[in-house]
Amino acid sequence: MNWSISKAKLFSKCQRRWFYSEIMASKYGKDIHRNEAYILKQLGSIHSWRGKLVDYVIERLLVPKFNEKMLPPFNEIESLVSELMEKQFKFAKEKKYRDPKLTKKEAGDNYCALREIEWADELDSESLNIIKQQVLVSLKNLLKSKLMKKFLAPDTILVAQKSLNFKIKGVNIISRPDLILYFKDKPPLIIDWKAYYHGTENARMQLGVYSIALAECVATDPYLKPMDDPTEIRLIEYQLLKNFQREYKLSMSDVDEIKQYINDSLQKMLKLSEHNNYHEFDIKQFEKTITPECKYCNFKTLCRNEKIKYQVNLTKFLTD
Ligand code: SF4
């Protein structure tokens, strides 16, 4: 089983949704409902697409340039955004994510699965244009932010989207910070981007989990400095659309509280997923939410379909 901060949030909002996403979804095999859960798991809103586009441009274009202590011309950024949006929108519109023979790896940069298209079969050009403008505003804000001084400093090494994995009680704790800045003579700095206008939740818990993960993965520092104290790691949440940043510094009691949160959350997940075999699960054990979450839930079609026979071992019938 894998644990991450996003899986923990999903679990606490709706256990049933976590079941669809983490236990039922499977691309391979002959159970059509498990295949469908896998496809539905891939869907994201156009707002989450906006965030992914921003992440892509920062990781693939900006970070390599910042590491060379250079800035790309803005028209290069604009061209990359236009090209990406065009090919990904085409992929999503043709619903190629539903092609059973095509893997995400093969689809590469083209891969995109949009909820709005899956549900309504349309997305007007005005909505697309707004998303594009917001992506460009986010990137413009970053380029004029006070973070740039750190990015372009001569002794800084930037690493984007690095996987930081460690284990607690045999469970893989998975983290992928948007950006880690390593300094020659100082502890690292972790930055998390947010590309939305209306979110109110702060990133303290998320960044706290990342700092514990970074301290656990000691071998990641390109300057080979020992780093085993998460309270020394500096943390910044940067709101790309608002050009606003919030800094966090953890105390030892924050670290203990976050470790306790991880432990409590994964214990609850382990309790519900103690069966290793999908065919032994009882869906009724996974509580449904009572919040408005259902309206935007990727799995609502599966959830409402009471005819689905969960946990039917089709291989049994195939070999009969
Ligand atoms: S439709 Fe609602 S109850 Fe069902 S999985 Fe989604 S969020 Fe949970």
Side-chain angles (χ1 to χ4, degrees):
M1 190 181 87
N2 294 331
W3 186 96
S4 69
I5 187 75
S6 55
K7 291 180 200 299
K9 284 182 187 167
L10 181 67
F11 183 86
S12 69
K13 279 182 185 161
C14 179
Q15 293 178 359
R16 187 70 61 100
R17 190 166 166 180
W18 180 80
F19 167 83
Y20 290 130
S21 171
E22 300 304 308
I23 296 173
M24 185 178 177
S26 172
K27 181 170 172 63
Y28 304 103
K30 293 190 163 42
D31 184 329
I32 53 167
H33 299 306
R34 292 194 75 181
N35 302 154
E36 181 65 8
Y38 174 84
I39 292 164
L40 298 178
K41 181 180 175 176
Q42 311 312 315
L43 300 173
S45 68
I46 51 165
H47 301 110
S48 69
W49 185 36
R50 173 181 66 202
K52 284 181 187 160
L53 290 163
V54 170
D55 285 346
Y56 184 98
V57 175
I58 296 175
E59 182 190 356
R60 306 293 180 92
L61 176 62
L62 298 189
V63 164
K65 289 280 182 197
F66 295 162
N67 276 328
E68 291 171 22
K69 307 306 162 196
M70 289 166 65
L71 285 176
F74 202 75
N75 59 6
E76 192 181 335
I77 296 173
E78 274 181 308
S79 306
L80 178 58
V81 172
S82 303
E83 188 192 310
L84 263 181
M85 285 189 72
E86 201 173 310
K87 65 185 184 183
Q88 291 188 357
F89 183 67
K90 185 169 184 289
F91 187 96
K93 202 160 182 223
E94 291 170 2
K95 297 191 178 174
K96 288 196 173 161
Y97 51 87
R98 284 196 164 274
D99 181 346
K101 293 194 195 103
L102 186 64
T103 65
K104 278 174 101 169
K105 196 171 172 191
E106 285 160 358
D109 297 345
N110 295 314
Y111 195 92
C112 183
L114 293 173
R115 211 160 63 184
E116 287 80 357
I117 290 178
E118 178 70 19
W119 289 353
D121 231 1
E122 62 181 54
L123 199 54
D124 59 41
S125 56
E126 196 190 330
S127 309
L128 284 177
N129 197 33
I130 290 171
I131 291 299
K132 184 176 177 182
Q133 292 315 314
Q134 290 174 342
V135 169
L136 294 175
V137 166
S138 298
L139 296 165
K140 267 185 193 152
N141 282 343
L142 179 68
L143 291 173
K144 66 180 186 202
S145 72
K146 54 185 181 183
L147 291 169
M148 289 306 297
K149 205 172 155 199
K150 290 185 178 30
F151 296 163
L152 299 177
D155 67 343
T156 318
I157 297 175
L158 291 78
V159 180
Q161 307 293 339
K162 184 168 186 62
S163 293
L164 302 171
N165 302 337
F166 67 103
K167 281 187 189 280
I168 295 182
K169 295 186 167 62
V171 175
N172 298 315
I173 309 297
I174 296 173
S175 299
R176 209 155 180 248
D178 289 329
L179 189 68
I180 307 173
L181 269 72
Y182 293 97
F183 303 89
K184 208 169 192 169
D185 307 313
K186 283 187 284 189
L189 163 66
I190 301 177
I191 301 179
D192 182 63
W193 322 118
K194 301 285 180 214
Y196 50 60
Y197 281 115
H198 303 298
T200 51
E201 195 181 355
N202 72 45
R204 180 183 160 277
M205 179 63 77
Q206 182 180 9
L207 283 163
V209 172
Y210 293 167
S211 65
I212 292 168
L214 186 57
E216 291 284 337
C217 302
V218 282
T220 63
D221 189 324
Y223 290 115
L224 303 175
K225 292 191 305 305
M227 167 48 59
D228 54 10
D229 180 358
T231 64
E232 286 187 20
I233 297 169
R234 290 167 300 151
L235 306 169
I236 290 182
E237 167 193 346
Y238 180 65
Q239 302 273 352
L240 287 154
L241 280 163
K242 300 176 192 166
N243 191 16
F244 164 77
Q245 75 176 52
R246 205 181 267 132
E247 297 187 27
Y248 301 90
K249 185 97 176 75
L250 298 184
S251 64
M252 255 346 272
S253 72
D254 291 331
V255 171
D256 291 342
E257 185 198 319
I258 294 165
K259 283 185 176 168
Q260 190 61 47
Y261 168 81
I262 298 174
N263 197 47
D264 292 349
S265 164
L266 67 85
Q267 288 297 350
K268 285 183 199 155
M269 289 179 186
L270 281 171
K271 203 171 159 204
L272 275 178
S273 57
E274 56 195 349
H275 304 297
N276 287 326
N277 190 337
Y278 171 74
H279 305 290
E280 293 170 19
F281 284 104
D282 176 2
I283 189 144
K284 294 193 191 80
Q285 288 180 329
F286 297 86
E287 284 171 20
K288 287 182 167 188
T289 185
I290 47 166
T291 67
E293 284 292 318
C294 301
K295 190 175 173 194
Y296 301 105
C297 172
N298 285 6
F299 302 103
K300 62 185 180 187
T301 46
L302 282 181
C303 193
R304 285 178 193 152
N305 185 350
E306 295 192 346
K307 290 187 184 148
I308 294 177
K309 298 267 183 290
Y310 295 95
Q311 303 90 38
V312 174
N313 191 343
L314 292 182
T315 52
K316 174 182 176 298
F317 298 108
L318 288 170
T319 50
D320 277 351

